[in-house]
Every structure is written in structure tokens, then in C-alpha cells.
Amino acid sequence: MQVLAQAELRLDASAVDYVLLAVYFVFVLGIGYLARRSVSTSLDFFLSGRALPAWVTGLAFIAANLGAIEIIGMSANGAEYGMPTMHYFWIGAVPAMLFLGIVMMPFYYGSKVRSVPEFMLRRFGKPAHLVNGISFAVAQVLIAGVNLYLLASIVNVLLGWPLWVSVLIAAAIVLSYTALGGLSAAIYNEVLQFFVIVAALLPLTVVGLTKVGGWQGLVAKVSASPGGAEQMTAWPGNELTGFGNSVLSVVGLVFGLGFVLSFGYWTTNFVEVQRAMASKSMSAAQRTPIIGAFPKMFIPFLVIIPGMIAAVLVPDLSGYKATGQGNVDYNDAILLLMRDLLPNGLLGIALAGLLASFMAGMAANLSSFNTVFTYDIWQSYIVKDKPDHYYLSMGRWVTVGATLVAVGTAFIASGYANLMDYLQQLFSFFNAPLFATFILGMFWKKMTPTAGWLGLVLGTLAAVTVFGLSESGVVDLPGQGASFIGAGAAFVVDIVVSVAVSTVTRPKPEAELAGLVYSLTPKAARTASTSGEDAGWYRKPGLLAGIVLVLTVLLNIIFG
């Protein structure tokens, strides 16, 4: 997808499609303008005043993740690997989302921290806080670059403008509403974008399945394509992991993806946690990721299945899959299917859905970046003790700066044929070691401040080392195996270093760890209210999580 204006990808959009897109953009910018009227303090801008209901934050929670990376990346994965990609949802997301809601949100929300790095500050002190703040900020501008690149690529396909012009225009659209209304603008747009995305992808999936001869037709065609029948079963997923041994593949999926990468992403990634922290109560904060888990279970049918259909139905892509040659690659799967299957009108809705997903992802990156940079880096270490309105203004300028940096990082993403390879590497660098530090520090009161930052640094270096060995050919790890192994190495190294360092350094006094360590936090302080707006069986986080877990197990059995 180096230059997307080639004839193979040009979409035949008509006036009605452009009108639908224009209406959508009016809504997006209007929400940003209206949200601006409710922003008077930095807490309003960065955390929506902690006043949003669970259903809003729950949909925003999942929409923030349903960005360009999810739709383009997972459809690319579906085209390349098939059903094993389902693991990114049923193994690599849902269990960690439930763990976040039930176990970790009471600590985040109860401690009233404004960000994940601020939690690190209270638990481990300034060095760990600064390391986490910087690594998170770097990760967000890199990931925002991916979303921006893909958003620009759609503009490029639609209008044929040069990619750099498309990047700048796409960046300006997201910047305008995020800088105006802060987190509230991002969240309410994410709720709108969730429904637009579903309205776009559902018809594409239905039309695609009809064209390919229904589910049995898809099974037959995929089984006869390169990769064979293994693409129609989720387990053991050898092609995805890069392991020839099925047992090692399952271990890699369960430990590398299902535990380290998944829990590292969902439980410590402030992009997601920020949405839950904007809730109006602890119960609502706990329910936020659990509510998000319901649609998360079924989203793969709207993103992975279209990728699989494109790989057997679109000649350009099936030819690329067979030979590795051509003017398209796996990242183009969803665009190619839209080009070939959707009539005008539906094409406009689908394009709005794609643009919505890209903006949701990038806005989530920007809104979390501006919070962490302003609170955890600028206010903590550079300019201290200024009035609140100074940090509110600073947050808006930081949003502008992050957008400009994302314009640069967008071109890093353009070098990958499958963007999920790139994303999983980033997650192994930044999220896996952070999760190790978090989980050990939350459940082991003797973990010391020195262990907190040293484990993070050395864990990250372990993941980078695995990546370097894989890129140089010293270790042969095709597929996304390098990121799975890198994540596992980062986790293990972080744990070993943290335990070793904690035995020779001094922990913080127990009195300072109440609300931050499980065993030192009274049960009442980590138990949500069940009265008033939080009353009712359907608002019980534990019951909702149990329903999600049963459904997820059933899906694994049916499609395993």
C-alpha cells in the first residue's frame, strides 16, 4: 500500500456517497463544538469531569479500539491467516477486559488517579513514573501515526490526492474536534462512530458471504486456497504464530498473546483505561470494559470474515496471496471488497464507517497522549504549580503537537505489508513489561520503587533484543511469532529483575500503599456501590463478566 491512488484501488464514489460523508463530518465537528461548552477545567478536558454513564463509556471503550488498526489490520490478518485471527478477540482481548473490570478498575478509579503513569507514581515513585510516561507517549504517537496513515490512505483512494496532502487533511479533521472538546468530544464521537462502523461493515459482510456462496462456500474456497483448510479453524494457529509445532503454537497463543500481550494492552493501556475513568461511579467504571466485551466478541465476524472473503473473491488479492506479487497487499483487503461489492449509497456509508474507525482510533491516541504528557511529564517535571487554566490550555497545544508528530510517524507505518505485524511489535515493547510491573506491584507489597523502573527498562530491552534477532535472521520467527516471543521475554525478564532487585532494595512503607496494593486495601474500598443508579442485577459487574466468559468459551468451541 505504498501509493494508494493506483487504478486497482480507486473507488467509484458518486455524489450521493460524498453527501453522506459530508453529513457525517458535520456531525463529528458539531459534537466537538458542543462538547467544548462543557469544558471549563482541566479535569473536564482530560477526564470528562468523571460524569459519564457506563453505556457511553462502554461503547467508547470498544470504539477507541475499533480504529484503523482493528479494521484494516484484522481484515489483513483474516486474508493472510484466516480464522486463527479470532484469537486476537476471544483469547487476546475478552479475558483481559473482564480482568480489568473486576480486579483492576477498583484500584484505578478508587485511587482517583488521572492516568496510568500517575498510578505508577504513587506505587513506585518518580523514576518509574517518568519511564512509564515517556514510553507511553512514544507509543501513542507511533500508533496515532498508523491510524493517520490509514485515514489518509482512504482520502487518497477517494480523491487521488498525494498521500502527504491526505495525511495533513486527515490530521486536521481529528485535531479540530479533539482540541475543541477534549475527552468528551472524543468519547461522544466514538459512540457515534461505533454505530457508523457497524452500519458500514455489516452489509459488506452479508453481501460478501452471499457472493461467495454462504458459509459453506467460504469454507470450500478458503480450503482450496494457499494456506488450506487450516485457515478455517482457530486452533492451533501455526501460521499465525510461526511455529511448526502445534503444542508450541498453542502455548505461544495462550501465554504470549492471551496473557502477556492481551493483559498488558487492556489493563495498562491508558487509551482504554481513560474511558473507564471518565465514568460517574466505581460500578460504572467496572462495567465499562465488560459492556465493551459484548460487542468485542462479535466484531471479528465484521472484520476478519470480510478479509477471508476478499482473499478468495477478489482476483487482485488472491493473486497476491498465491504469488506474493502484485500492486496490492493484505492491508487492501477491506478496500478491495468494498470496491467490488458495494453499490453507491452503501459505498458512502462504508466509507464513512472506515473514516469513523480511523478517527476513533487516532482521537483515542491523542486524547490519552495529551493527558499523560500534560499531567505526567509537563506538570510533574517541567512547569509545576501553575493555575488550572494553564494546564487546560497546555493540553490543547499538546494535542496540536502530537498531531504534527503523528504526521511524521504515519510514514513509518507505510513500510509494512501487514500493519498488525508492526502493531504487535510495538505492544511487545511497551505493554508487556508494563503489565509485569503492574501485576507484581499490585499483588506483592514488597516490590520496591527501584525494581519498578529497572524492571520496566530491562523488560523493554528484552523485547527489542528479540525483535533485532528476528529482523537480522538470527532467529527465524515468521508471522507474528516474534512479537509473541518478545512479549514473553519482556514479561519474564521484568518479573525476574523486579524480584531480584526487590530483595536488595527497600520497599515503601505499608501505610503509603493502601489503595495501591491488593492485600493492603480494605475490601470496602474496592467494592462498588449496589444502590441508587448502580442498583439492579443487570448492573452487577461479576454477573455481566460471567455471561461474557460463557459466551466466549462457546465461540471458541464452535469455531475452534
Side-chain angles (χ1 to χ4, degrees), residues 42-405:
S42 64
L43 187 67
D44 293 334
F45 186 77
F46 294 119
L47 285 176
S48 299
R50 285 199 172 100
L52 300 181
W55 73 268
V56 170
T57 54
L59 288 178
F61 185 93
I62 205 62
N65 178 250
L66 192 58
I69 298 156
E70 187 91 341
I71 292 181
I72 296 293
M74 289 303 178
S75 63
N77 252 13
E80 187 172 1
Y81 305 117
M83 291 295 285
T85 307
M86 296 288 188
H87 292 310
Y88 281 104
F89 297 81
W90 300 337
I91 297 295
V94 171
M97 292 167 73
L98 302 183
F99 183 82
L100 170 64
I102 297 298
V103 178
M104 296 189 74
M105 275 318 301
F107 289 90
Y108 284 138
Y109 195 89
S111 62
K112 295 298 180 186
V113 294
R114 298 168 298 184
S115 68
V116 171
E118 188 173 329
F119 187 92
M120 294 288 284
L121 174 64
R122 295 194 189 179
R123 176 62 183 88
F124 297 112
K126 287 190 173 182
H129 174 240
L130 185 59
V131 168
N132 181 213
I134 292 172
S135 67
F136 178 84
V138 171
Q140 290 320 297
V141 292
L142 288 170
I143 297 169
V146 177
N147 280 299
L148 180 56
Y149 169 68
L150 290 171
L151 176 53
S153 71
I154 296 297
V155 177
N156 179 271
V157 167
L158 265 175
L159 304 175
W161 294 348
L163 194 60
W164 68 270
V165 174
S166 305
V167 164
L168 292 176
I169 290 174
I173 293 168
V174 180
L175 173 63
S176 59
Y177 75 77
T178 308
L180 275 173
L183 184 62
S184 291
I187 284 180
Y188 281 113
N189 263 312
E190 283 158 6
V191 173
L192 168 68
Q193 286 156 350
F194 174 80
F195 291 108
V196 173
I197 291 163
V198 172
L201 295 179
L202 186 58
L204 185 64
T205 306
V206 171
V207 173
L209 278 173
T210 303
K211 284 280 187 181
V212 86
W215 184 256
Q216 292 305 318
L218 180 63
V219 170
K221 287 181 170 60
V222 169
S223 299
S225 71
E230 286 185 4
Q231 297 171 93
M232 291 309 303
T233 57
W235 297 95
N238 296 50
E239 287 295 315
L240 182 66
T241 62
F243 291 116
N245 183 293
S246 295
V247 174
L248 288 177
S249 180
V250 171
V251 171
L253 283 169
V254 172
F255 181 70
L257 174 62
F259 181 59
V260 179
L261 277 172
S262 170
F263 277 67
Y265 175 82
W266 290 100
T267 65
T268 65
N269 186 358
F270 186 55
V271 172
E272 305 299 333
V273 174
Q274 186 183 29
R275 272 100 194 113
M277 288 167 65
S279 301
K280 62 170 59 176
S281 68
M282 184 186 290
S283 174
Q286 286 192 276
R287 281 181 274 132
T288 292
I290 300 169
I291 290 170
F294 280 96
K296 185 69 176 178
M297 283 186 289
F298 301 104
I299 285 169
F301 295 105
L302 300 181
V303 291
I304 296 170
I305 300 301
M308 295 170 66
I309 294 169
V312 296
L313 201 61
V314 179
D316 305 285
L317 194 59
S318 59
Y320 176 81
K321 187 168 184 176
T323 64
Q325 304 293 320
N327 293 324
V328 300
D329 59 34
Y330 294 118
N331 291 325
D332 301 324
I334 206 95
L335 288 174
L336 291 165
L337 203 62
M338 285 166 52
R339 179 200 69 181
D340 288 1
L341 298 186
L342 294 185
N344 293 121
L346 270 182
L347 181 61
I349 294 172
L351 287 170
L354 278 181
L355 291 171
S357 73
F358 304 163
M359 289 193 292
M362 186 180 173
N365 298 134
L366 291 180
S367 61
S368 57
F369 175 90
N370 63 27
T371 304
V372 168
F373 187 89
T374 304
Y375 279 149
D376 295 294
I377 297 175
W378 193 262
Q379 184 183 30
S380 297
Y381 299 100
I382 301 173
V383 180
K384 303 177 182 180
D385 303 321
K386 287 283 188 178
D388 184 75
H389 67 81
Y390 170 84
Y391 296 109
L392 172 59
S393 175
M394 186 66 199
R396 290 198 165 103
W397 282 110
V398 166
T399 307
V400 174
T403 306
L404 294 175
V405 175

